[in-house]
Amino acid sequence: MEKYLSLSSNHSSNKRSLEGLSAFRSLEELILDNNQLGDDLVLPGLPSLHTLTLNKNRITDLEYLLDHLAEVTPALEYLSLLGNVACPNELVSLEKDEEDYKRYRCFVLYKLPNLKFLDARKVTRQEREEALVRGAFMKVVKPKVSSEDTASSPECHYTPLPSASRELTSHRGVLGKCRYVYYGKNSEGNRFIRDDQL
């Protein structure tokens, strides 16, 4: 009886098949980290699986993944998706913040209410209660961009500069002087510097 299985894909081929897992119906732990798995991930029915890690893959469609996991892994209690686009994390993307991660956790717990741990953090009672109330509304929806929209509208990047200053050829710089002199008397950084070093 298999309790633990870790798979590594053959990086020389682009085909990553998990068909063989169907032979391990009593599998309890599955580690699929760093396998370049994407949104086409399909797991067979694994009714005994309670731990699944999919860290550092290429998963972007969170809702599809969670719906699939709810169907094929009913006993799942430990899930980790760190390092995927679907898991908004400040360490992976500078555009994401703690609020994005909280919304992500709430949505995951709404879809998979039996989880005890998500991304190496224990699920709190408060998170579970919030997921029941607000989880359905925490899904991040991105507008679909059609090819007509991208062709007809030129890219417009935000800039805080006035419209007259945006062109590189019509630049008017500003030069000024400041009379402030820094003495450093109250600076914490100077407490280890001797006067003869200034």
Side-chain angles (χ1 to χ4, degrees):
M1 176 169 168
E2 289 290 327
K3 293 206 180 263
Y4 173 85
L5 183 64
S6 178
L7 294 181
S8 294
S9 67
N10 181 359
H11 293 292
S12 62
S13 75
N14 288 335
K15 185 168 174 70
R16 285 162 189 77
S17 175
L18 299 175
E19 294 170 0
L21 289 176
S22 58
F24 300 96
R25 298 216 17 103
S26 60
L27 187 67
E28 294 179 359
E29 296 181 22
L30 181 59
I31 299 173
L32 294 170
D33 297 350
N34 295 311
N35 280 286
Q36 299 181 9
L37 299 170
D39 292 330
D40 56 348
L41 172 69
V42 177
L43 292 172
L46 299 169
S48 301
L49 190 73
H50 61 74
T51 301
L52 176 63
T53 65
L54 291 164
N55 298 318
K56 294 186 180 179
N57 282 293
R58 295 181 177 176
I59 298 167
T60 59
D61 190 346
L62 182 63
E63 186 172 24
Y64 169 77
L65 175 69
L66 298 177
D67 288 340
H68 179 63
L69 292 178
E71 182 182 330
V72 299
T73 59
L76 192 63
E77 296 177 343
Y78 304 90
L79 176 66
S80 186
L81 298 172
L82 292 171
N84 290 289
V85 174
C87 175
N89 187 318
E90 293 175 77
L91 300 174
V92 175
S93 173
L94 296 175
E95 298 172 358
K96 305 298 180 187
D97 61 9
E98 184 64 27
E99 288 302 313
D100 292 322
Y101 186 70
K102 285 179 183 177
R103 283 190 295 276
Y104 152 82
R105 282 182 70 88
C106 190
F107 184 67
V108 172
L109 293 173
Y110 168 74
K111 289 287 194 172
L112 301 173
N114 295 330
L115 286 182
K116 293 181 180 177
F117 277 84
L118 176 59
D119 299 331
R121 260 183 31 196
K122 188 173 183 175
V123 174
T124 65
R125 185 176 49 82
Q126 182 181 0
E127 284 179 315
R128 197 173 303 285
E129 289 170 359
E130 184 175 356
L132 286 171
V133 176
R134 298 187 183 126
F137 308 108
M138 295 296 175
K139 175 183 170 189
V140 177
V141 179
K142 296 178 185 174
K144 293 184 180 180
V145 179
S146 68
S147 58
E148 295 173 4
D149 293 341
T150 56
S152 64
S153 63
E155 283 192 38
C156 181
H157 296 287
Y158 170 76
T159 176
L161 299 174
S163 58
S165 303
R166 291 182 190 157
E167 297 296 323
L168 294 175
T169 57
S170 65
H171 175 68
R172 289 179 277 168
V174 177
L175 176 64
K177 288 187 175 183
C178 179
R179 293 192 158 225
Y180 177 75
V181 178
Y182 175 70
Y183 293 104
K185 291 179 181 176
N186 297 320
S187 172
E188 286 289 318
N190 288 338
R191 64 183 174 171
F192 300 110
I193 300 174
R194 297 187 311 261
D195 288 335
D196 61 338
Q197 292 175 327
L198 293 175

